[in-house]
């Protein structure tokens, strides 16, 4: 199996590296194409992958074409790919907002997978939700799942609406966690802790809480009940959050991202 990764940016290289480390593919079967001479030179020096500048030199050889360019480059790229592809090829796109219908229309390919990764993919802890067109077979789906899992975990969703929905939860989600962390660090600084100590207090609290959550079947609500005793300090904080409707505001924020993902999809509908 040969894979072509188009776009040697943050995400494209994350997947190329993930796939090459996973032993699913030999390095020489991973091709990377970018328009930037500088990026190609750097990659050539590392000698990790076969690098390409011209689509004609690599698109016809690929079994799977992984597109990781910014959405505003999608149209131009896919129109150039169209005369070079063959019907058996599978395209996986991680471009936010670019729909399966658009990819099919512009590339002429029917086997299309749309995936939504998140930032922790860069350290092998990502979450990629994905959906496939009906032309992708079950066996091909298993291969794709294994490829996406090389950067963390993947979840197959039943329709494209869930890709936009997962953008609002896992795609944009790391930023919500950082938002919470930032506020807690600012509170720690205000209480007189140094920047370094504030960072440790907050990061270890997040790590510990998440590990507890992952090692157990308890819901977040049950964990809150375990730490918050009546009249105690944690209850004071949770009551303050409830009174300020923090929970409602977080849900509203996730829906704002979901709705924006839908809007972007409409803006980028080239058909
Ligand atoms: N970063 C995330 O956390 C995240 C999460 C979910 C989805 N995504 C999606 O992932 C995609 C890539 O994001 P990124 O952050 O990795 O972007 P990036 O770092 O800008 O990488 C894109 C790369 O593609 C190159 N490129 C542009 N046009 C090209 C073309 N026609 N042919 C070949 N290469 C081309 C760019 O070169 P130049 O720099 O010279 O333009 C750049 O090297 C985006 O569509 C984004 O929506 C990203």
């Amino acid at each position: 199996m040969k894979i072509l990764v188009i776009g040697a940016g943050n995400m494209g290289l994350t997947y190329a590296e993930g796939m090459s480390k996973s032993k699913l593919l030999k390095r020489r079967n991973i091709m990377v194409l970018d328009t930037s001479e500088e990026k190609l030179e750097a990659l050539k020096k590392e000698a990790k992958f076969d690098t390409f500048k011209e689509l004609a030199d690599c698109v016809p050889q690929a079994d799977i074409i992984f597109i990781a360019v910014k959405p505003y480059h999608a149209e131009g790229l896919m129109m150039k790919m169209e005369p070079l592809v063959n019907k058996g090829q599978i395209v996986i796109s991680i471009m936010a907002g670019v729909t399966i219908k658009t990819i099919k229309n512009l590339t002429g390919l029917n086997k299309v997978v749309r995936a939504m990764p998140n930032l922790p993919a860069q350290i092998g802890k990502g979450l990629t939700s994905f959906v496939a067109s009906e032309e992708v077979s079950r066996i091909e789906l298993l291969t794709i799942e294994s490829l996406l899992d090389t950067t963390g975990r993947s979840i197959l969703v039943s329709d494209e609406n869930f890709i936009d929905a997962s953008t609002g939860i896992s795609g944009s989600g790391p930023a919500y966690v950082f938002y919470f962390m930032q506020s807690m660090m600012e509170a720690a600084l205000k209480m007189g802790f140094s920047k370094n100590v504030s960072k440790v207090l907050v990061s270890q609290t997040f790590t510990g809480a998440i590990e507890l959550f992952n090692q157990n079947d308890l819901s977040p609500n049950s964990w809150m009940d375990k730490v918050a005793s009546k009249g105690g300090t944690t209850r004071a904080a949770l009551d303050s959050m409830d009174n300020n409707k923090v929970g409602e505001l977080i849900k509203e924020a996730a829906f704002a991202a979901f709705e924006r993902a839908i809007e972007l999809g409409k803006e980028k509908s080239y058909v």
Side-chain angles (χ1 to χ4, degrees):
M1 180 171 62
K2 267 195 170 249
I3 302 243
L4 167 63
V5 175
I6 302 184
N10 297 318
M11 279 293 162
L13 285 184
T14 292
Y15 279 90
E17 299 273 358
M19 291 187 274
S20 74
K21 281 185 201 142
S22 75
K23 298 186 178 69
L24 276 172
L25 286 158
K26 296 199 174 79
R27 285 194 170 198
R28 67 185 148 80
N29 287 334
I30 302 175
M31 305 178 281
V32 176
L33 175 138
D34 201 283
T35 43
S36 150
E37 218 40 273
E38 214 180 310
K39 278 187 190 146
L40 291 175
E41 276 312 309
L43 281 175
K44 265 185 202 143
K45 275 189 197 137
E46 290 178 18
K48 283 186 183 165
F49 312 109
D50 275 353
T51 52
F52 296 86
K53 190 158 184 348
E54 299 301 330
L55 291 166
D57 295 336
C58 51
V59 167
Q61 304 168 45
D63 298 298
I64 296 180
I65 303 168
F66 190 98
I67 307 183
V69 302
K70 293 279 190 208
Y72 52 82
H73 285 132
E75 187 173 15
L77 168 70
M78 293 195 286
M79 284 169 76
K80 283 189 200 143
M81 283 168 59
E82 193 266 342
L84 303 168
V85 299
N86 61 73
K87 286 278 178 226
Q89 291 172 315
I90 301 172
V91 57
I92 305 177
S93 159
I94 60 164
M95 296 178 290
V98 184
T99 62
I100 289 184
K101 189 175 168 202
T102 298
I103 298 168
K104 279 187 168 185
N105 284 350
L106 289 174
T107 61
L109 288 171
N110 286 325
K111 296 184 180 201
V112 178
V113 173
R114 187 175 158 203
M116 174 49 60
N118 68 4
L119 199 58
Q122 292 182 10
I123 53 156
K125 300 269 182 195
L127 186 286
T128 305
S129 56
F130 69 106
V131 64
S133 64
E134 59 188 23
E135 292 84 353
V136 179
S137 72
R138 287 182 68 167
I139 291 179
E140 287 165 338
L141 269 181
L142 288 176
T143 306
I144 288 154
E145 190 172 16
S146 311
L147 291 173
L148 297 176
D149 279 348
T150 62
T151 59
R153 290 179 65 174
S154 64
I155 289 184
L156 175 64
V157 297
S158 54
D159 84 59
E160 249 178 308
N161 192 40
F162 284 116
I163 295 292
D164 293 325
S166 66
T167 304
I169 304 295
S170 53
S172 303
Y176 315 160
V177 175
F178 295 134
Y179 194 97
F180 210 99
M181 290 176 84
Q182 182 65 36
S183 301
M184 281 175 70
M185 279 171 67
E186 284 171 17
L189 284 171
K190 215 169 167 182
M191 289 172 189
F193 292 108
S194 68
K195 217 171 161 183
N196 279 346
V197 173
S198 303
K199 190 178 162 188
V200 176
L201 287 172
V202 172
S203 76
Q204 188 61 17
T205 302
F206 269 79
T207 307
I210 285 162
E211 283 185 17
L212 271 179
F213 180 71
N214 284 339
Q215 282 177 20
N216 226 292
D217 274 344
L218 291 182
S219 67
N221 266 337
S222 307
W223 276 114
M224 282 190 261
D225 287 343
K226 268 183 179 288
V227 282
S229 51
K230 204 172 170 216
T233 57
T234 312
R235 189 78 268 158
L238 294 178
D239 284 348
S240 163
M241 287 194 219
D242 279 347
N243 291 338
N244 286 299
K245 300 200 178 344
V246 175
E248 289 309 310
L249 296 178
I250 291 172
K251 283 176 234 167
E252 215 175 279
F255 271 90
F258 177 25
E259 280 152 22
R260 183 69 188 132
I262 296 170
E263 265 171 33
L264 285 174
K266 285 184 188 145
E267 280 170 25
K268 300 216 162 38
S269 184
Y270 310 99
V271 286

